[in-house]
Amino acid sequence: MNEKINTFLNSGLLDKYLLGETTSAEAEMVESFIIRYPEIENTYNMMQHNLEVVAKVNAVEAPKNILNNILDELDETPVIKLNKTKSRKKWYAFSVAASIAALIFAGSSTYYYNQNQKLKSDTVVVDAEIDDLRNDIAQNNAMLDKVMRQLLKLNNPETEKYIIKGNERAKDLKTVAYINPKEKTSMIDIVSLPELPDEQCYQIWAELQGKMVNLGILDKADRQLRSIPYMEDALALSITIETKGANAIASTNKAVAEISLH
């Protein structure tokens, strides 16, 4: 390979020509070298082939309607005869442009597909959050309704309030009973309960015609206004300390608080 050919190949003009980045003067010179020197023509053909392979590997099949539209346009376009070198350059430029367009189309399609999938995912999350919010609202409305009903009962002029305090055995014990004899309802609000051993519990009783009736267990964890059974003509309320599971009969000797209702 003579020095002139070697100098030309090392100049980078052939690479620029393949990429369509040469000026008109540079393009004319490259084309003349390709025609005059077989070594340069072979190198050009090899480089063109390699570039086409790369373009095909990265290309994405275009929609069929695009190909049909291009063919229709070609049928309507007058054919212009070009010399061998010019035709080769134009066709190569077209193939590179088509490959680049295909890559852009593929990238855009992938981008919009990913955006669409993300939007669907976000929509599912939002729908789930809306369902959770609706459930929370429903629960809050139910709770609010319960509280309002309780307030109506407490604010009823017929409702009588009884504060039950502990004796020496349970000085920190304090509960409040609300009894409405007209509507026959009873509620109790646990304010404070001293700690007990695990095997013991507090239990509330109603004194009725000489006997004690079980109204339920008082639990420190249940510190809220709650209903208890209403006992007609009850004379008193009493709180005792009982052994868990053995509380059918009140242990009057273990009473820690009591109050008369009449």
Side-chain angles (χ1 to χ4, degrees):
M1 185 179 295
N2 63 44
E3 186 177 350
K4 188 173 183 179
I5 295 174
N6 190 49
T7 301
F8 172 80
L9 292 175
N10 292 330
S11 67
L13 284 175
L14 195 58
D15 300 84
K16 291 176 64 178
Y17 180 78
L18 282 168
L19 297 176
E21 297 178 354
T22 53
T23 64
S24 298
E26 289 174 336
E28 292 292 338
M29 184 177 68
V30 171
E31 290 170 2
S32 67
F33 270 78
I34 292 174
I35 294 172
R36 290 167 56 191
Y37 301 103
E39 296 92 336
I40 295 178
E41 182 180 16
N42 291 336
T43 302
Y44 169 76
N45 290 335
M46 181 185 67
M47 294 175 66
Q48 185 181 37
H49 173 75
N50 291 340
L51 189 59
E52 288 174 353
V53 170
V54 172
K56 288 178 182 179
V57 169
N58 292 282
V60 176
E61 184 178 358
K64 293 182 178 179
N65 60 314
I66 292 179
L67 179 60
N68 293 333
N69 292 340
I70 293 173
L71 293 176
D72 291 340
E73 290 294 329
L74 290 176
D75 289 339
E76 298 174 3
T77 303
V79 177
I80 300 175
K81 292 185 178 181
L82 302 173
N83 61 52
K84 180 180 178 181
T85 304
K86 294 284 187 180
S87 175
R88 180 188 302 156
K89 178 183 177 183
K90 297 291 185 181
W91 173 250
Y92 176 73
F94 174 77
S95 65
V96 171
S99 298
I100 293 174
L103 288 172
I104 293 174
F105 175 80
S108 300
S109 300
T110 301
Y111 171 78
Y112 286 114
Y113 173 78
N114 291 335
Q115 290 296 105
N116 185 52
Q117 293 300 110
K118 184 177 183 299
L119 181 60
K120 288 181 179 179
S121 177
D122 292 344
T123 301
V124 171
V125 173
V126 170
D127 289 342
E129 290 177 349
I130 290 175
D131 289 338
D132 291 341
L133 182 59
R134 286 174 178 169
N135 292 334
D136 291 342
I137 291 174
Q139 292 176 3
N140 290 337
N141 287 339
M143 185 179 298
L144 181 60
D145 182 67
K146 180 181 178 181
V147 170
M148 292 300 295
R149 290 177 184 274
Q150 290 176 337
L151 286 175
L152 288 174
K153 291 180 181 179
L154 297 183
N155 294 329
N156 191 317
E158 300 293 332
T159 299
E160 300 176 1
K161 178 180 178 180
Y162 300 91
I163 298 175
I164 308 172
K165 294 182 178 181
N167 56 24
E168 292 295 325
R169 295 178 179 177
K171 292 182 179 181
D172 295 331
L173 185 150
K174 184 178 181 180
T175 61
V176 182
Y178 300 91
I179 301 175
N180 189 317
K182 185 176 181 179
E183 295 186 358
K184 301 185 184 304
T185 59
S186 297
M187 294 185 294
I188 191 165
D189 181 20
I190 302 171
V191 179
S192 62
L193 288 175
E195 293 286 346
L196 286 176
D198 292 340
E199 67 276 6
Q200 294 180 333
C201 64
Y202 291 102
Q203 193 159 336
I204 187 168
W205 308 81
E207 184 181 341
L208 182 64
Q209 296 178 352
K211 64 179 181 179
M212 304 296 285
V213 180
N214 181 7
L215 300 182
I217 294 174
L218 302 181
D219 193 338
K220 186 177 181 180
D222 192 27
R223 294 182 57 182
Q224 60 181 341
L225 188 65
R226 66 182 181 88
S227 297
I228 58 174
Y230 174 78
M231 291 289 114
E232 187 81 35
D233 299 325
L235 301 176
L237 293 177
S238 177
I239 298 175
T240 62
I241 296 176
E242 305 289 344
T243 301
K244 290 181 179 178
N247 49 15
I249 300 174
S251 302
T252 54
N253 61 329
K254 295 182 180 179
V256 292
E258 53 188 340
I259 189 170
S260 175
L261 300 180
H262 296 286

